[in-house]
Amino acid sequence: MSLPFLKMHGLGNDFVVLDARVTPIAMTEEAARAIGDRRTGIGYDQLLMLCPPREGGDVRMRIWNPDGSEAESCGNGTRAVAQLVMDETGTDKIGIETLGGFLNASRAPGGLVTVDMGEPRLEWEQIPLAERMDTRRIDIHIGPIDDPYLVGPAAVSMGNPHAIFFVDDTSKIQLEKVGPLVENHPLFPERANVSFAEVRDPEHAKLRVWERSAGATLACGTAACATLVAGVRLGKLARKAEIALPGGPLTIEWRESDGHVLMTGPAETAYAGTLGPRLQSLLA
């Protein structure tokens, strides 16, 4: 029997979604890599698997990167899964379990979805960093030692580690060159998602993202959340702002009342299909 999948995306951040709620699927690193190959597989930024909940939520979501590693969080993927399950059940609110924590999602006006991403993690050991330092500006320099062109990114965890540089012009950043350098910097033992933010005013910022294990991406929900938090801590952004990514805008709010970060944006289903025999044979 062929295994069905959905291809979904949030602002161009694309996902393969598998449903293991009734029939378990034993994903392997090899299978995740093969499915993620954009030439010989299906291709994705993240592979999302729906599983039975364990802790009282409506669904448990597991996440794989194209290199076969398992991830903790995916903001745009959470919106996609939330929309899928809310449409299935006819409800307006659901709870989603992830490795990065329990997330609540709800419908928003205009067909959008809001996800409560919880509280950001701001201490050096929570991100984690390899050594103690002020996470508002960590000790990373890119460029010649006597004249670096990128200095002191902020570090934030939204269930996964992020480094955020605030720059004058994101278009001048060589993402494919700088992204891997920071992603694999020794200060990040679990590697990092790397963002470059251009603040236009306190309520608007432009963002480009190098996503850990996936590379340059059209959108990254947790990166947008981390950028808003970093911007607030540095006095650059208001607590609610529009973060414009190459794939489109997300509205992010860092709520003062409880410290939770809310992310609002779209999610769409592109098409449905089935895994071919070769890909399915790689599942354990």
Side-chain angles (χ1 to χ4, degrees), residues 140 142-143 149 175-186 188 194 210:
I140 290 180
I142 302 297
Y149 58 89
L175 199 61
E176 289 76 11
K177 177 182 177 181
V178 180
L181 292 176
V182 182
E183 175 191 356
N184 297 289
H185 194 281
F188 292 104
V194 188
W210 178 269

Side-chain angles (χ1 to χ4, degrees), residues 133-146:
M133 62 183 62
D134 185 344
T135 58
R136 288 172 294 184
R137 296 184 190 276
I138 65 174
D139 189 18
I140 290 180
H141 299 70
I142 302 297
I145 191 167
D146 57 345

Side-chain angles (χ1 to χ4, degrees), residues 39-52:
R39 292 182 180 273
T40 60
I42 301 167
Y44 61 75
D45 287 326
Q46 274 80 36
L47 171 64
L48 310 177
M49 186 183 293
L50 310 184
C51 303

Side-chain angles (χ1 to χ4, degrees), residues 39-109:
R39 292 182 180 273
T40 60
I42 301 167
Y44 61 75
D45 287 326
Q46 274 80 36
L47 171 64
L48 310 177
M49 186 183 293
L50 310 184
C51 303
R54 291 176 175 173
E55 300 176 3
D58 295 279
V59 67
R60 179 165 56 95
M61 179 176 70
R62 295 183 67 188
I63 307 160
W64 282 268
N65 295 312
D67 66 359
S69 62
E70 192 163 2
E72 305 93 337
S73 297
C74 178
N76 287 322
T78 301
R79 286 203 321 280
V81 167
Q83 184 182 77
L84 185 64
V85 176
M86 287 190 293
D87 287 347
E88 281 181 356
T89 59
T91 57
D92 292 332
K93 295 181 180 181
I94 65 162
I96 301 174
E97 299 172 34
T98 74
L99 283 178
F102 190 92
L103 304 175
N104 290 302
S106 59
R107 296 188 190 276

